[in-house]
């Protein structure tokens, strides 16, 4: 956005045309982005925090330069117009450098955040597999115990049936 704003301003100065972009310091796209940006993402990185603040200052300075020089054109005041264009360009270049530091750090944090999410997913999967394995083992243990408990009376009945079949007249219930 800022690149287009500066390009349009320079074009306006060099062609002597009206500059119609948003000129309100607090209402342009960068100001809105800056207000919405979650600065907590930058915590712990002094360079990124300083760059964020510096980009904001440079943004304000570009708006102030425009406000103080908005009537200057190449046709009317070539020297002033050239100085104005050079000032705007220098501020924009510094602004871009600082914003690059912020966005690079932010991108790294996003990558780290994604990596953490993937690792958490893998850990959850491993835990699920372990729980399934443990649960299966426990089910087998309890099934064997239950089978043994159920087998006792069945075996006892089979024993009595065998004793009766072999001619026993009484069995010990």
């Amino acid at each position: 956005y800022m690149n287009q704003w500066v390009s349009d301003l320079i074009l306006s100065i060099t062609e002597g045309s009206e500059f119609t972009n948003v000129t309100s310091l607090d209402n342009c796209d960068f100001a809105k982005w800056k207000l919405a940006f979650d600065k907590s993402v930058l915590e712990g990185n002094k360079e990124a925090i300083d760059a964020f603040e510096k980009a904001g200052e440079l943004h304000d300075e570009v708006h102030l330069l425009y406000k103080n020089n908005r009537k200057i054109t190449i046709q009317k005041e070539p020297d002033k117009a050239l100085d104005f264009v050079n000032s705007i360009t220098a501020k924009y270049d510094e602004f871009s450098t600082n914003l690059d530091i912020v966005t690079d750090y932010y991108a790294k944090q996003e990558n780290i955040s994604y990596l953490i999410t993937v690792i958490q997913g893998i850990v959850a999967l491993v835990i699920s597999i372990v729980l399934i394995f443990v649960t299966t083992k426990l089910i087998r243990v309890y099934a064997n115990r239950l089978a043994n408990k159920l087998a006792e009376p069945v075996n006892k009945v089979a024993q009595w049936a065998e004793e009766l079949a072999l001619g026993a007249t009484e069995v010990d219930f």
Side-chain angles (χ1 to χ4, degrees), residues 34-158:
K34 184 181 175 200
L35 284 174
F37 185 78
D38 180 11
K39 288 194 296 187
S40 69
V41 172
L42 304 178
E43 285 179 13
N45 188 310
K46 182 171 176 17
E47 180 186 28
I49 293 168
D50 291 347
F52 182 81
E53 295 304 322
K54 185 65 178 177
E57 291 169 15
L58 290 163
H59 160 262
D60 296 353
E61 289 173 20
V62 167
H63 275 280
L64 187 60
L65 273 170
Y66 166 76
K67 181 180 175 185
N68 293 335
N69 297 286
R70 63 179 166 232
K71 301 288 183 190
I72 293 176
T73 63
I74 288 280
Q75 294 78 11
K76 294 180 185 174
E77 303 174 74
D79 292 338
K80 281 187 177 181
L82 186 58
D83 288 344
F84 182 33
V85 167
N86 288 336
S87 294
I88 291 285
T89 303
K91 297 280 183 201
Y92 172 71
D93 288 344
E94 190 178 353
F95 168 85
S96 293
T97 299
N98 281 283
L99 204 54
D100 285 346
I101 292 168
V102 173
T103 55
D104 287 348
Y105 181 76
Y106 185 77
K108 287 177 189 171
Q109 295 308 304
E110 287 295 308
N111 289 340
I112 289 169
S113 179
Y114 174 74
L115 185 59
I116 288 170
T117 301
V118 168
I119 290 170
Q120 287 173 334
I122 291 169
V123 167
L125 179 62
V126 169
I127 290 171
S128 295
I129 290 169
V130 168
L131 287 174
I132 290 169
F133 178 76
V134 168
T135 303
T136 303
K137 284 289 190 185
L138 287 173
I139 288 171
R140 284 184 185 158
V141 166
Y142 287 119
N144 285 339
R145 285 184 184 172
L146 182 60
N148 289 337
K149 292 247 185 230
L150 291 175
E152 284 177 26
V154 170
N155 288 340
K156 195 68 170 167
V157 168

Side-chain angles (χ1 to χ4, degrees), residues 156-172:
K156 195 68 170 167
V157 168
Q159 181 186 354
W160 296 334
E162 183 181 346
E163 289 175 15
L164 289 172
L166 293 175
T169 55
E170 285 187 24
V171 287
D172 194 19

